[in-house]
Coordinates of all heavy atoms in Angstrom, one line a residue:
Q9 N 21.5 -5.8 -12.5 CA 22.7 -6.4 -12.0 C 23.8 -5.4 -11.6 O 24.7 -5.8 -10.9 CB 23.2 -7.5 -12.9 CG 22.3 -8.6 -13.2 CD 22.7 -9.5 -14.3 OE1 23.7 -9.3 -15.0 NE2 22.0 -10.6 -14.5
K10 N 23.7 -4.2 -12.1 CA 24.8 -3.2 -12.0 C 24.4 -2.0 -11.1 O 25.1 -1.0 -11.1 CB 25.3 -2.7 -13.3 CG 25.7 -3.8 -14.3 CD 27.1 -4.2 -14.1 CE 27.5 -5.2 -15.2 NZ 28.9 -5.3 -15.3
I11 N 23.3 -2.1 -10.4 CA 22.9 -1.0 -9.5 C 24.0 -0.6 -8.6 O 24.7 -1.5 -8.0 CB 21.6 -1.3 -8.7 CG1 20.4 -1.4 -9.7 CG2 21.4 -0.3 -7.6 CD1 19.1 -1.7 -9.0
G12 N 24.3 0.7 -8.5 CA 25.4 1.1 -7.6 C 26.7 1.3 -8.4 O 27.7 1.9 -7.8
S13 N 26.8 0.8 -9.6 CA 28.0 0.9 -10.4 C 28.1 2.3 -11.0 O 27.1 3.0 -11.3 CB 28.0 -0.1 -11.5 OG 27.9 -1.4 -11.0
K14 N 29.3 2.7 -11.3 CA 29.5 4.0 -12.0 C 29.3 3.8 -13.5 O 29.7 2.8 -14.1 CB 31.0 4.5 -11.8 CG 31.2 5.9 -12.2 CD 32.5 6.4 -11.7 CE 32.7 7.8 -12.1 NZ 33.9 8.4 -11.6
V15 N 28.5 4.7 -14.1 CA 28.2 4.6 -15.5 C 28.4 6.0 -16.2 O 28.4 7.0 -15.6 CB 26.7 4.2 -15.7 CG1 26.4 2.8 -15.2 CG2 25.7 5.2 -15.1
R16 N 28.5 5.9 -17.5 CA 28.5 7.1 -18.4 C 27.4 6.9 -19.3 O 27.3 6.0 -20.1 CB 29.8 7.3 -19.1 CG 29.8 8.5 -20.0 CD 31.1 8.7 -20.9 NE 32.2 8.8 -20.0 CZ 33.3 8.1 -20.2 NH1 33.5 7.3 -21.2 NH2 34.4 8.2 -19.4
V17 N 26.5 7.9 -19.3 CA 25.3 7.9 -20.3 C 25.6 9.0 -21.3 O 25.7 10.1 -20.9 CB 24.0 8.1 -19.5 CG1 22.8 8.1 -20.5 CG2 23.8 7.0 -18.5
T18 N 25.6 8.6 -22.6 CA 25.7 9.5 -23.7 C 24.4 9.7 -24.3 O 23.8 8.7 -24.8 CB 26.8 9.0 -24.7 OG1 28.0 8.8 -23.9 CG2 27.1 10.1 -25.7
V19 N 23.9 10.9 -24.4 CA 22.6 11.2 -25.0 C 22.8 11.8 -26.4 O 23.5 12.9 -26.5 CB 21.7 12.1 -24.1 CG1 20.4 12.3 -24.8 CG2 21.6 11.5 -22.7
Y20 N 22.3 11.2 -27.4 CA 22.4 11.8 -28.8 C 21.1 12.5 -29.1 O 20.1 11.9 -29.3 CB 22.7 10.6 -29.8 CG 23.9 9.8 -29.5 CD1 23.8 8.6 -28.9 CD2 25.1 10.4 -29.8 CE1 25.0 7.9 -28.6 CE2 26.3 9.7 -29.5 CZ 26.2 8.4 -28.9 OH 27.3 7.7 -28.6
G21 N 21.2 13.8 -29.1 CA 20.0 14.7 -29.3 C 19.9 15.2 -30.7 O 20.5 14.7 -31.6
L22 N 19.0 16.1 -30.8 CA 18.7 16.8 -32.1 C 19.9 17.6 -32.5 O 20.7 18.1 -31.7 CB 17.5 17.6 -32.0 CG 16.2 16.8 -31.7 CD1 15.0 17.8 -31.5 CD2 15.9 15.8 -32.7
R23 N 20.0 17.8 -33.8 CA 21.1 18.7 -34.4 C 22.5 18.3 -34.0 O 23.3 19.2 -33.6 CB 20.8 20.1 -34.1 CG 19.5 20.6 -34.8 CD 19.3 22.0 -34.6 NE 18.0 22.4 -35.2 CZ 17.4 23.5 -34.8 NH1 17.8 24.3 -33.9 NH2 16.2 23.8 -35.4
N24 N 22.7 17.0 -33.9 CA 24.0 16.5 -33.5 C 24.5 16.9 -32.1 O 25.7 17.0 -31.8 CB 25.1 16.8 -34.5 CG 24.8 16.2 -35.9 OD1 24.3 15.1 -35.9 ND2 25.1 16.9 -37.0
K25 N 23.6 17.3 -31.3 CA 23.9 17.7 -29.9 C 24.1 16.4 -29.1 O 23.3 15.5 -29.1 CB 22.8 18.5 -29.3 CG 23.1 19.0 -27.9 CD 22.0 19.8 -27.4 CE 22.3 20.3 -26.0 NZ 21.1 21.0 -25.4
I26 N 25.3 16.3 -28.4 CA 25.6 15.2 -27.5 C 25.8 15.6 -26.1 O 26.6 16.6 -25.9 CB 26.9 14.5 -28.1 CG1 26.6 13.9 -29.5 CG2 27.3 13.3 -27.1 CD1 27.9 13.3 -30.1
E27 N 25.1 15.0 -25.2 CA 25.3 15.3 -23.8 C 25.8 14.0 -23.1 O 25.4 12.9 -23.4 CB 24.0 15.7 -23.1 CG 23.4 17.0 -23.7 CD 22.1 17.3 -23.1 OE1 21.8 16.9 -22.0 OE2 21.3 18.1 -23.7
R28 N 26.7 14.2 -22.1 CA 27.3 13.1 -21.4 C 27.1 13.3 -19.9 O 27.3 14.4 -19.4 CB 28.8 12.9 -21.7 CG 29.0 12.4 -23.1 CD 30.5 12.1 -23.3 NE 30.7 11.6 -24.6 CZ 30.8 12.3 -25.7 NH1 30.8 13.6 -25.7 NH2 31.0 11.7 -26.9
Y29 N 26.7 12.2 -19.2 CA 26.5 12.3 -17.8 C 27.2 11.1 -17.1 O 27.1 10.0 -17.6 CB 25.0 12.1 -17.4 CG 24.1 13.2 -18.0 CD1 23.4 12.9 -19.2 CD2 24.0 14.4 -17.5 CE1 22.6 13.9 -19.8 CE2 23.2 15.4 -18.1 CZ 22.5 15.1 -19.2 OH 21.7 16.1 -19.8
E30 N 28.0 11.3 -16.1 CA 28.7 10.3 -15.4 C 28.2 10.3 -14.0 O 28.1 11.3 -13.3 CB 30.2 10.5 -15.3 CG 30.9 10.0 -16.6 CD 32.4 10.0 -16.5 OE1 32.9 9.9 -15.3 OE2 33.1 10.1 -17.5
G31 N 27.8 9.1 -13.5 CA 27.2 9.0 -12.1 C 27.0 7.6 -11.8 O 27.5 6.7 -12.4
L32 N 26.3 7.4 -10.7 CA 26.0 6.0 -10.2 C 24.6 5.6 -10.7 O 23.7 6.4 -10.7 CB 26.0 6.0 -8.7 CG 27.3 6.3 -8.0 CD1 27.2 6.3 -6.5 CD2 28.4 5.3 -8.4
L33 N 24.5 4.3 -11.2 CA 23.3 3.8 -11.5 C 22.5 3.7 -10.2 O 22.9 3.0 -9.3 CB 23.5 2.4 -12.2 CG 22.2 1.7 -12.7 CD1 21.5 2.5 -13.7 CD2 22.6 0.3 -13.3
Y34 N 21.3 4.3 -10.1 CA 20.7 4.6 -8.9 C 19.5 3.7 -8.6 O 19.4 3.0 -7.7 CB 20.4 6.1 -8.8 CG 20.0 6.6 -7.4 CD1 20.7 6.3 -6.3 CD2 18.8 7.3 -7.3 CE1 20.4 6.8 -5.1 CE2 18.4 7.7 -6.0 CZ 19.2 7.5 -4.9 OH 18.8 8.0 -3.7
K35 N 18.5 3.8 -9.5 CA 17.2 3.1 -9.3 C 16.7 2.5 -10.7 O 17.0 3.1 -11.7 CB 16.1 4.0 -8.8 CG 16.4 4.5 -7.3 CD 15.3 5.3 -6.8 CE 15.6 5.8 -5.4 NZ 14.6 6.8 -4.9
I36 N 16.0 1.4 -10.5 CA 15.4 0.8 -11.7 C 13.9 0.8 -11.5 O 13.3 0.4 -10.5 CB 15.9 -0.7 -11.8 CG1 17.4 -0.8 -11.9 CG2 15.2 -1.4 -12.9 CD1 18.0 -0.2 -13.2
Y37 N 13.2 1.3 -12.5 CA 11.7 1.3 -12.5 C 11.2 0.5 -13.7 O 12.0 0.1 -14.6 CB 11.2 2.8 -12.6 CG 11.6 3.6 -11.4 CD1 12.6 4.5 -11.5 CD2 10.9 3.5 -10.3 CE1 13.0 5.3 -10.4 CE2 11.2 4.3 -9.1 CZ 12.3 5.2 -9.2 OH 12.6 6.0 -8.1
P38 N 9.9 0.3 -13.8 CA 9.4 -0.5 -15.0 C 9.7 0.0 -16.4 O 10.0 -0.7 -17.3 CB 7.9 -0.5 -14.7 CG 7.7 -0.3 -13.3 CD 8.8 0.6 -12.9
N39 N 9.7 1.4 -16.5 CA 10.0 1.9 -17.9 C 11.2 2.8 -18.0 O 11.6 3.1 -19.1 CB 8.7 2.7 -18.3 CG 7.5 1.9 -18.5 OD1 7.6 0.8 -19.1 ND2 6.4 2.3 -17.9
I40 N 11.8 3.1 -16.8 CA 13.0 4.0 -16.8 C 14.0 3.5 -15.8 O 13.7 2.7 -15.0 CB 12.6 5.5 -16.5 CG1 12.0 5.6 -15.1 CG2 11.7 6.1 -17.6 CD1 11.9 7.0 -14.6
F41 N 15.2 4.1 -15.9 CA 16.2 3.9 -14.9 C 16.8 5.3 -14.6 O 16.7 6.2 -15.4 CB 17.3 2.9 -15.3 CG 18.1 3.4 -16.5 CD1 19.3 4.0 -16.4 CD2 17.7 3.1 -17.8 CE1 20.1 4.4 -17.5 CE2 18.4 3.5 -18.9 CZ 19.6 4.1 -18.7
T42 N 17.4 5.4 -13.4 CA 17.9 6.7 -13.1 C 19.4 6.6 -12.7 O 19.8 5.5 -12.2 CB 17.1 7.4 -11.9 OG1 17.3 6.5 -10.7 CG2 15.7 7.6 -12.2
I43 N 20.1 7.7 -12.9 CA 21.5 7.7 -12.4 C 21.5 8.9 -11.4 O 20.8 9.9 -11.5 CB 22.5 7.9 -13.5 CG1 22.4 9.2 -14.2 CG2 22.4 6.7 -14.4 CD1 23.6 9.5 -15.1
L44 N 22.4 8.9 -10.5 CA 22.7 10.0 -9.6 C 23.8 10.8 -10.1 O 25.0 10.3 -10.2 CB 23.0 9.4 -8.2 CG 22.9 10.4 -7.0 CD1 21.6 11.0 -6.9 CD2 23.3 9.7 -5.7

């Protein structure tokens, strides 16, 4: 419902590593979604 919207994805990795990505919700697939 939100394709094309601006999103912030926060990834909680190993050893308390945190990565953040801001972009547009781009495509929806059966098992994954992508942002630009």
Side-chain angles (χ1 to χ4, degrees):
Q9 295 173 353
K10 304 276 187 164
I11 289 179
S13 299
K14 191 168 183 178
V15 295
R16 178 183 301 135
V17 178
T18 305
V19 180
Y20 302 101
L22 299 174
R23 297 185 180 158
N24 296 327
K25 183 178 178 186
I26 298 174
E27 297 178 23
R28 289 185 176 85
Y29 303 99
E30 280 191 25
L32 295 177
L33 184 57
Y34 192 55
K35 294 182 182 174
I36 302 292
Y37 296 103
N39 296 314
I40 63 169
F41 64 96
T42 63
I43 66 168
L44 196 57

